[in-house]
Amino acid sequence: MTAALPAAGRPALTLVDPAAASDGSGGLDEKVLDACSANATQSRHAVGSNQQASTAEDGRVAQSVEAAVKQAIAEYRPRFMPAEHWEPIADLVRDAVSRCDGKSPHGARVLLGCTAALADWCERIAGIPLEIRYVFRHDIVNSYVAHLLNNTDMKRSSVATHRSRLLGMADILQQGPPVNQQLRGLRTGDTAAPYSHDEQVALRWWAAQQPTDLRRINATVLLAATMGAGLTNAETLFLAAEHVTVDELGVLVSVHGKRHRVVPVLAEWESVIADVADAAMRPDQWLFRPNRSSCDGNQLANFLRKCSDHPFQISVQRLRSTWIVTQLAAGTPVQAVLDASGIETIGALGRYMDHIPAPDPMEARRQLTQRARSEGCEVTVSQDRKSTRLNSSHTDISRMPSS
């Protein structure tokens, strides 16, 4: 017994009653077998058609999503960054995020913001070449993380999230095996340790030994701007002759931009800054590599790469840290260091304190009591050392009532 059951959108299948289809020997009649075979074929065709339609639809959706992601990456502009900072790093950011799309558990929009902030730090502060092989090294990412911890008000949990995302990108972009290790808890980093006295001597020798006069001058200006005035990578590139002032007290450098300030140059570097500024042909002529056509952050990194006889890796961050630690070790008031360095919070100076030599105990005591001495206090000790009297122009302790 057979019947036809049409279905909308599908081929009509022939229904078979197994009991009526028996040929009496326990088998199925050939006509019935043919009908069953036809049914199976029709079913396979129907399922195959549905699967093909579903696959085609999934493909169209995937293509649409991929196109939307590509468009989002191409049109991305960070709201937290001025256009002049974004333009030099835009290509790197888009390229890195595009390569990670589909391979990272994080979406492109999330990675764009993290990558933009990292690239901006590399260009304007750290002087790292804007190439994926440099920017996405684990040590560079960790240095950036230390910067966030020590120089920003970002919450520690947010910094940890940034680190996780960027290190994940680094594993993808460096095309090496993933780093399967548990990340250590975040702590104040030591990534910007100052150069020691011997290293500073070696840096002076390195600058003086460059093969051409122009390269020797540029290397010396680089050291004077960073180790002598505490300027960052970007600030060194923008330093022009018109920003230098010489008076009876020394040499001042005016820093323009987000962290506008005036910085007194260390005495040992004053003549370098003053002489190069005085020799400039125009007020707006840059002191470092004056013939360049832009302030691209790679300028400084490219210069260091071309220089010869590096005694060790030269880092702008460490050069700047050397200036900060020199000021703190000399007893420069903390507020003066904050103002001259452009650092906004006193907590950000904490990581430099470990590099300041411990003072002599007696000298420390003398300094701690210096204010009292300057205000007219005198300590008198009797010959038998049985009584001590503190005389002050403000207060006579001997006249204070006993309690």
Side-chain angles (χ1 to χ4, degrees):
M1 181 176 64
T2 62
L5 181 63
R10 292 178 296 177
L13 301 181
T14 303
L15 301 183
V16 179
D17 184 350
S22 175
D23 61 1
S25 61
L28 293 178
D29 183 71
E30 291 183 0
K31 293 182 179 180
V32 175
L33 291 173
D34 291 342
C36 290
S37 177
N39 284 348
T41 300
Q42 292 174 356
S43 296
R44 285 194 296 270
H45 288 168
V47 172
S49 298
N50 290 337
Q51 289 178 340
Q52 291 176 359
S54 176
T55 301
E57 180 63 23
D58 290 345
R60 286 193 292 271
V61 171
Q63 291 177 355
S64 177
V65 171
E66 183 179 356
V69 171
K70 287 183 177 180
Q71 182 178 0
I73 293 174
E75 296 178 353
Y76 175 74
R77 302 287 188 281
R79 296 180 180 179
F80 59 86
M81 186 183 301
E84 60 268 23
H85 293 173
W86 166 245
E87 291 177 1
I89 65 175
D91 290 341
L92 171 80
V93 173
R94 290 171 179 146
D95 182 28
V97 174
S98 295
R99 294 191 194 187
C100 292
D101 182 40
K103 301 176 183 178
S104 169
H106 307 290
R109 291 187 181 275
V110 171
L111 298 181
L112 282 166
C114 294
T115 307
L118 169 64
D120 181 56
W121 173 81
C122 285
E123 189 211 12
R124 296 194 305 110
I125 297 178
I128 306 298
L130 289 180
E131 299 179 31
I132 286 178
R133 58 177 173 157
Y134 296 120
V135 173
F136 285 93
R137 283 173 37 173
H138 274 235
D139 57 337
I140 298 301
V141 172
N142 286 325
S143 294
Y144 167 65
V145 169
H147 165 77
L148 294 180
L149 286 173
N150 295 308
N151 296 290
T152 71
D153 295 328
M154 183 180 292
K155 293 182 179 179
R156 191 171 293 264
S157 58
S158 298
V159 174
T161 300
H162 276 248
R163 178 179 65 166
S164 176
R165 292 169 179 170
L166 292 171
L167 289 178
M169 292 182 68
D171 290 339
I172 296 170
L173 294 170
Q174 296 296 351
Q175 298 180 348
V179 180
N180 294 319
Q181 62 180 11
Q182 184 176 3
L183 295 178
R184 295 183 305 172
L186 293 176
R187 61 185 180 86
T188 300
D190 190 23
T191 58
Y195 288 111
S196 66
H197 173 74
D198 290 342
E199 288 174 326
Q200 293 179 50
V201 172
L203 286 169
R204 287 175 173 272
W205 176 89
W206 163 79
Q209 295 300 315
Q210 292 306 304
T212 66
D213 289 341
L214 185 59
R215 192 170 292 181
R216 282 193 292 272
I217 292 173
N218 284 323
T220 306
V221 168
L222 168 60
L223 297 181
T226 54
M227 204 158 59
L231 304 190
T232 65
N233 177 65
E235 291 165 352
T236 299
L237 293 175
F238 278 97
L239 180 61
E242 61 188 350
H243 301 151
V244 177
T245 302
V246 179
D247 58 21
E248 66 278 4
L249 297 179
V251 177
L252 298 173
V253 170
S254 179
V255 180
H256 296 266
K258 182 179 179 180
R259 295 186 286 189
H260 178 76
R261 61 193 187 278
V262 176
V263 184
V265 180
L266 284 174
E268 60 190 287
W269 295 104
E270 286 181 336
S271 61
V272 175
I273 297 295
D275 290 347
V276 175
D278 185 61
M281 300 179 64
R282 307 182 315 275
D284 61 348
Q285 180 173 306
W286 291 315
L287 299 194
F288 176 76
R289 300 189 71 183
N291 295 328
R292 55 191 161 91
S293 58
S294 72
C295 284
D296 181 357
N298 280 333
Q299 292 279 345
L300 197 150
N302 291 338
F303 171 77
L304 290 175
R305 194 181 303 116
K306 293 177 181 178
C307 287
S308 58
D309 299 326
H310 293 78
F312 37 74
Q313 183 177 1
I314 300 176
S315 163
V316 175
Q317 267 197 304
R318 292 191 64 190
L319 292 170
R320 171 174 157 85
S321 295
T322 301
W323 176 84
I324 293 174
V325 171
T326 298
Q327 295 291 352
L328 293 173
T332 304
V334 171
Q335 187 58 54
V337 176
L338 289 173
D339 293 342
S341 65
I343 297 176
E344 296 180 354
T345 62
I346 192 171
L349 290 177
R351 62 173 170 158
Y352 301 102
M353 302 304 294
D354 292 339
H355 304 289
I356 299 176
D360 176 77
M362 294 305 296
E363 176 63 18
R365 178 178 175 181
R366 186 190 68 78
Q367 292 181 356
L368 289 169
T369 58
Q370 189 62 40
R371 181 180 178 185
R373 299 288 183 273
S374 65
E375 292 180 352
C377 295
E378 295 181 359
V379 176
T380 303
V381 182
S382 63
Q383 292 182 353
D384 58 6
R385 295 185 178 274
K386 292 184 178 180
S387 61
T388 302
R389 178 185 178 90
L390 176 64
N391 298 320
S392 172
S393 58
H394 304 290
T395 304
D396 187 346
I397 295 180
S398 63
R399 298 180 181 180
M400 295 179 65
S402 58
S403 55

